[in-house]
């Protein structure tokens, strides 16, 4: 009984140490009755091994607290007291211990400890200063306070894309544009190195320049929207960089090599930056893969978003939590339904899903075919003279692929949302599968457009392809024309976002506000700020930027300005025209989902770029690679100028004799980390079981304490 009262005293007033009178004689027999000890005994684990790892309930608490103090005192020099979960009095006592230890150290050790503290304090101050320099810091915090972390994660992701495109533009500017500008405006004592004449047929070097005669008033608008005319001859597109290098006083700057290296650099930087940011979200997702009972507890006791300060957003958060609980219960019901499903019902539902997936594939195929037909029609008719067609007709033909792609991206999500209802999936899986189909649709349309252009570039009716390697008659500078298509996609996507916000969402808000008595308006309702749809839109624009930056070097700068304007437009739309979606979207899950979709877009962008650089012959009439069969040939040519020893090393590294062992080593390392992850997962399971046992121990102790109090009163 005295032991139970000591335990009750410890439960009411937890501290590092217990009263010594409570454990003058350790109650080993009593503690052996705890559920945790019996469970450990059943598993035949020794007390000694558990004492080494985390300690057991059989260990005296006094000895444990003394060992804790010794361990903390040993680590005071390497870690801050903030890292320890101690109360203020204990931290003050340990700080006194630390100051006492400092007196017995040498002057050198004291200087090292003081310098390390000063350096850590300086780094903390520097981090605090950099947080004040963050782009849109106050705006994003205001959005987080009014609408929660889910919507805030979208705007943080948009800020990340602005910074990414700005860095990509700086890479291209430093490697490609800056040497040309320094020479063009005579800032440095340098000159252009023209591309030397090569034995190329004169027919392949013909590049018709736009006429500078009488120009209609609307031609400048068409040129600005399509990238043709006066924009085609500027540094916006690939064809402007038709030089071999820049000659400075001491060296010659190789522009073709710099152009290719800038492309490889921005793709590698994007990949590393996205992977680095996505690892944190992946860790959080692994931690959140709890059991269903723990999921319910987390939603009920720890599901509130304390960043919310607005009353309406608090009500929305309440409804979101209710929706999450209903969705979890629905998933539990579907799991029970699946467990009770007969073989006939299983065959029927899988047959229905197979049929519906065939419909999805048919819809995707129809959209891809429509994009292919629109691209072919636009490419075959865009070479007509402007005076032979009216303004609207010319603009329609120029933007026909972009219009078809936009319509496909608008119609297919509604079709997928209707189809998914009949596939009998859980609510969470329905959302993930619909988003996955929309991601594939949006990003695959760009690849279909690029591959259609590639097929038109490399195929022709006469012998021009045999002579030049590509369709020189229709595409004298095919890289510039691909860049123009990416430019049109970027501009049209921006126009659609602005038009939907100004001419759809805003009038809809006015109708809902001032005509709410109409039944049709009540059914229509206010526009929701759907986070996945908005994310897919900006990932679509970023994929266009990645593909088009090689063919249009200034496209990242345009994308940066576009995303900056979109940030303010979406913020205004969220505050005044839209309402947040009632479906919850946690910040941890959303950040990982955003970066995963962005990584998919980057991988899809690398495929057509790799084919264009390594397989399709470069244009002979424009660009820095006119003397190369393909763009990639500049790399072997540069390697051939290296010393023989360095050439041998590079050839050895890129050979199969090095690649196969390197691949095997990478596989072994991967298997090691997979095994390590499995071991960590088992440790997590054991820790969860330990938490469960500790809760059972508390219930057991409270039960025994109640019985002891009852016996004492009796």
């Amino acid at each position: 009984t005295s032991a139970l009262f000591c335990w009750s005293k410890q439960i009411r007033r937890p501290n590092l140490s217990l009263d010594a009178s409570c454990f003058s004689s350790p109650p080993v027999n009593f503690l052996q009755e705890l559920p945790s000890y019996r469970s450990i005994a059943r598993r035949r684990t020794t007390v000694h091994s558990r004492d080494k790892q985390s300690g057991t309930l059989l260990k005296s608490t006094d000895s444990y607290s003394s060992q804790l103090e010794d361990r903390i005192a040993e680590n005071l020099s390497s870690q801050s007291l903030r890292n320890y979960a101690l109360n203020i009095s204990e931290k003050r006592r340990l700080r006194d211990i630390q100051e006492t230890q400092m007196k017995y150290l040498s002057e050198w050790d004291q200087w090292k400890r003081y310098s390390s503290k000063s350096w850590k304090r300086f780094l903390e101050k520097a981090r605090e200063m950099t947080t004040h320099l963050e782009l849109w810091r106050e705006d994003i915090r205001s959005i987080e306070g009014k609408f929660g972390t889910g919507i805030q994660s979208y705007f943080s992701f948009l800020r990340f894309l602005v910074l990414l495109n700005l860095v990509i533009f700086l890479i291209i500017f430093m490697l490609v544009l800056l040497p040309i500008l320094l020479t063009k405006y005579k800032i440095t004592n340098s000159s252009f190195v023209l591309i030397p004449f090569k034995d190329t047929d004169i027919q392949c070097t013909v590049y018709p320049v736009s006429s500078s005669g009488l120009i209609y008033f609307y031609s400048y608008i068409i040129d600005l929207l399509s990238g043709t005319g006066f924009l085609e001859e500027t540094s916006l597109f690939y064809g402007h960089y038709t030089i071999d290098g820049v000659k400075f006083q001491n060296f010659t700057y190789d522009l073709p090599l710099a152009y290719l290296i800038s492309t490889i650099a921005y793709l590698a930087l994007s990949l590393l930056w996205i992977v680095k940011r996505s690892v944190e979200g992946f860790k959080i997702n692994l931690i959140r893969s709890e059991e269903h009972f723990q999921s319910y507890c987390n939603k009920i006791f720890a599901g509130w978003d304390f960043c919310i300060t607005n009353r309406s957003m608090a009500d929305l958060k309440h409804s979101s939590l209710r929706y999450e609980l209903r969705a979890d219960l629905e998933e539990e019901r579907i799991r029970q339904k699946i467990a009770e499903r007969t073989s006939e019902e299983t065959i029927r539902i899988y047959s229905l899903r197979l049929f519906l997936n065939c419909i999805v594939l048919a819809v995707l195929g129809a959209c891809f075919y429509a994009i292919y037909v629109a691209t072919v029609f636009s490419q075959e008719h865009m070479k007509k003279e402007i005076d032979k067609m009216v303004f609207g007709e010319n603009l329609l033909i120029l933007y026909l692929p972009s219009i078809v792609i936009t319509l496909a991206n608008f119609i297919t999500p509604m079709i997928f949302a209707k189809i998914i209802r009949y596939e009998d999936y859980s609510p969470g899986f329905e959302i993930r599968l619909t988003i996955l189909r929309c991601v594939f649709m949006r990003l695959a349309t760009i690849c279909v457009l690029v591959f259609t252009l590639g097929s038109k570039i490399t195929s022709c009716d006469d012998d021009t392809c045999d002579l030049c390697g590509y369709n020189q008659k229709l595409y004298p500078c095919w890289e510039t024309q691909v860049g123009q298509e990416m430019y049109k996609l970027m501009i049209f996507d921006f126009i659609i976002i602005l038009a939907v916000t100004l001419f759809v969402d805003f009038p809809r808000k006015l109708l809902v506000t001032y005509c709410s008595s109409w039944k049709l308006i009540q059914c229509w309702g206010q526009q929701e700020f759907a986070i996945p749809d908005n994310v897919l839109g900006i990932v679509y624009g970023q994929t266009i930027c990645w593909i088009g930056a090689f063919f249009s070097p200034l496209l990242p700068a345009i994308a940066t300005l576009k995303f900056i304007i979109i940030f303010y437009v979406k913020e205004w739309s969220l505050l005044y025209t839209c309402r947040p979606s009632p479906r919850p979207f946690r910040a941890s899950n959303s950040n990982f989902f955003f970066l995963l979709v962005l990584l998919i877009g980057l991988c899809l962008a690398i495929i057509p770029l790799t084919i264009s650089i390594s397989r399709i012959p470069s244009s002979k009439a424009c660009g820095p690679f006119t003397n190369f069969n393909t763009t990639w040939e500049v790399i072997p040519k540069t390697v051939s100028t290296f010393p023989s020893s360095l050439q041998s090393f590079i050839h050895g590294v890129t050979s199969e004799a090095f690649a196969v062992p390197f691949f095997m080593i990478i596989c072994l390392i991967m298997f090691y980390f997979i095994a390590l992850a499995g071991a960590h997962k088992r440790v997590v399971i054991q820790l969860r079981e330990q938490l469960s046992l500790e809760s059972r121990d508390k219930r057991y102790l409270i039960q025994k304490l109640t019985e002891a109090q009852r016996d004492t009163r009796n």
Side-chain angles (χ1 to χ4, degrees), residues 94 153 210 258 306 370 409 473 476 484 512 537 599 613 670 699:
L94 291 173
S153 61
S210 301
F306 288 93
N409 292 335
K473 183 178 180 181
Q484 290 171 350
V512 171
L599 188 61
I613 291 173
M670 183 181 67
R699 289 197 300 268

Side-chain angles (χ1 to χ4, degrees), residues 89-105:
S89 61
E90 290 296 331
K91 288 185 178 180
R92 288 174 180 171
R93 188 165 62 87
L94 291 173
R95 194 179 299 278
D96 295 337
I97 295 174
Q98 183 182 15
E99 293 177 355
T100 305
Q101 289 179 348
M102 288 284 291
K103 299 178 182 179
Y104 300 100
L105 296 176

Side-chain angles (χ1 to χ4, degrees), residues 467-672:
L467 187 63
C468 305
Y470 60 95
N471 192 342
Q472 200 278 338
K473 183 178 180 181
L474 191 60
Y475 302 95
C477 184
W478 65 266
E479 291 92 346
T480 294
Q481 287 165 292
V482 173
Q484 290 171 350
E485 292 296 329
M486 297 296 107
Y487 174 81
K488 287 187 288 186
L489 283 176
M490 180 77 70
I491 297 299
F492 191 74
D493 181 59
F494 178 63
I495 292 173
I496 289 297
I497 291 174
L498 291 181
V500 169
T501 303
L502 296 177
F503 303 114
V504 177
D505 295 343
F506 184 65
R508 183 173 176 177
K509 170 67 175 180
L510 294 178
L511 290 174
V512 171
T513 304
Y514 298 104
C515 304
S516 58
S517 59
W518 298 0
K519 292 185 178 180
L520 181 61
I521 300 300
Q522 290 178 359
C523 296
W524 195 17
Q526 191 176 348
Q527 175 66 33
E528 291 183 1
F529 191 86
I531 298 177
D533 295 339
N534 285 281
V535 168
L536 293 181
I538 60 176
V539 170
Y540 169 77
Q542 184 60 41
T543 307
I544 294 171
C545 178
W546 277 323
I547 297 176
F550 176 77
F551 308 103
S552 178
L554 294 184
L555 202 61
I558 298 174
T560 304
L561 294 175
K562 171 189 170 183
F563 287 141
I564 289 174
I565 298 173
I566 287 177
F567 181 91
Y568 290 107
V569 170
K570 291 296 182 181
E571 182 183 13
W572 179 81
S573 174
L574 176 65
L575 293 174
Y576 300 107
T577 65
C578 294
R579 63 182 175 90
S581 176
R583 287 190 172 186
F585 221 76
R586 284 187 178 272
S588 57
N589 297 337
S590 59
N591 287 329
F592 178 67
F593 165 73
F594 299 164
L595 294 168
L596 179 63
V597 174
L598 192 63
L599 188 61
I600 294 173
L602 178 60
C603 295
L604 290 178
I606 290 174
I607 295 173
L609 278 177
T610 304
I611 296 175
S612 301
I613 291 173
S614 60
R615 303 287 297 176
I616 301 178
S618 56
S619 297
K620 303 301 184 291
C622 68
F625 303 100
T626 55
N627 277 348
F628 300 97
N629 291 328
T630 60
T631 304
W632 184 255
E633 281 192 0
V634 69
I635 299 295
K637 179 193 173 184
T638 306
V639 171
S640 64
T641 60
F642 293 163
S644 58
S645 58
L646 185 57
Q647 290 186 38
S648 302
F649 174 76
I650 293 174
H651 290 310
V653 169
T654 56
S655 64
E656 295 179 356
F658 177 82
V660 173
F662 179 76
F663 178 74
M664 294 177 64
I665 293 173
I666 291 296
C667 290
L668 292 175
I669 294 174
M670 183 181 67
F671 291 147
Y672 166 74

Side-chain angles (χ1 to χ4, degrees), residues 176-190:
V176 179
L177 284 170
L178 185 61
I180 295 177
L181 294 177
L182 293 176
T183 305
K184 183 178 180 180
Y185 295 102
K186 305 297 182 181
I187 299 176
T188 59
N189 187 14
S190 57

Side-chain angles (χ1 to χ4, degrees), residues 301-512:
F301 297 108
W304 185 252
D305 190 351
F306 288 93
C307 295
I308 296 175
T309 58
N310 187 281
R311 178 66 183 177
S312 61
M313 292 304 104
D315 295 337
L316 180 66
K317 185 62 180 179
H318 282 295
S319 64
S320 298
L321 289 174
R322 286 195 297 269
Y323 172 81
E324 283 189 352
L325 292 174
R326 283 198 302 266
D328 290 340
L329 293 174
E330 180 67 18
E331 290 183 0
E332 187 67 26
R333 185 189 66 80
I334 290 178
R335 275 191 291 269
Q336 293 180 358
K337 181 180 177 181
I338 292 173
E340 298 172 357
R341 188 178 290 166
T342 62
S343 57
E344 292 80 5
E345 293 176 346
T346 304
I347 294 173
R348 183 187 61 81
I349 191 63
Y350 277 103
S351 302
L352 179 61
R353 289 175 183 176
L354 180 62
F355 174 72
L356 293 175
N357 279 282
C358 291
I359 295 177
V360 170
L361 293 176
V363 171
L364 293 174
C367 293
F368 295 158
Y369 181 73
I371 295 170
Y372 171 79
V373 172
T375 305
V376 172
F377 180 83
S378 175
Q379 295 297 312
E380 290 178 350
H381 291 78
M382 69 184 300
K383 294 301 180 181
K384 292 182 179 180
E385 293 294 333
I386 296 178
D387 55 1
K388 293 183 180 179
M389 59 181 70
V390 297
F391 173 75
E393 182 185 357
N394 188 25
L395 206 59
L396 179 63
I397 290 177
L398 289 173
Y399 273 89
L400 188 59
S402 302
I403 293 172
V404 174
I405 289 175
T406 303
L407 289 175
N409 292 335
F410 177 75
I411 295 173
T412 50
M414 295 188 293
I415 299 176
F416 295 157
K418 295 291 183 182
I419 291 176
I420 198 71
R421 296 178 182 176
Y422 301 99
E423 295 187 77
D424 198 14
Y425 290 120
S426 62
F429 189 76
E430 281 185 5
I431 296 173
R432 290 191 292 269
L433 183 59
T434 305
I435 291 175
L436 183 62
R437 287 170 176 172
C438 295
V439 167
F440 179 77
M441 177 64 203
R442 279 184 175 266
L443 301 182
T445 51
I446 307 174
C447 294
V448 171
L449 174 64
V450 174
F451 283 116
T452 304
L453 290 174
S455 64
K456 295 292 293 182
I457 290 168
T458 56
S459 62
C460 50
D461 299 331
D462 51 13
D463 58 349
T464 310
C465 291
D466 298 332
L467 187 63
C468 305
Y470 60 95
N471 192 342
Q472 200 278 338
K473 183 178 180 181
L474 191 60
Y475 302 95
C477 184
W478 65 266
E479 291 92 346
T480 294
Q481 287 165 292
V482 173
Q484 290 171 350
E485 292 296 329
M486 297 296 107
Y487 174 81
K488 287 187 288 186
L489 283 176
M490 180 77 70
I491 297 299
F492 191 74
D493 181 59
F494 178 63
I495 292 173
I496 289 297
I497 291 174
L498 291 181
V500 169
T501 303
L502 296 177
F503 303 114
V504 177
D505 295 343
F506 184 65
R508 183 173 176 177
K509 170 67 175 180
L510 294 178
L511 290 174
V512 171

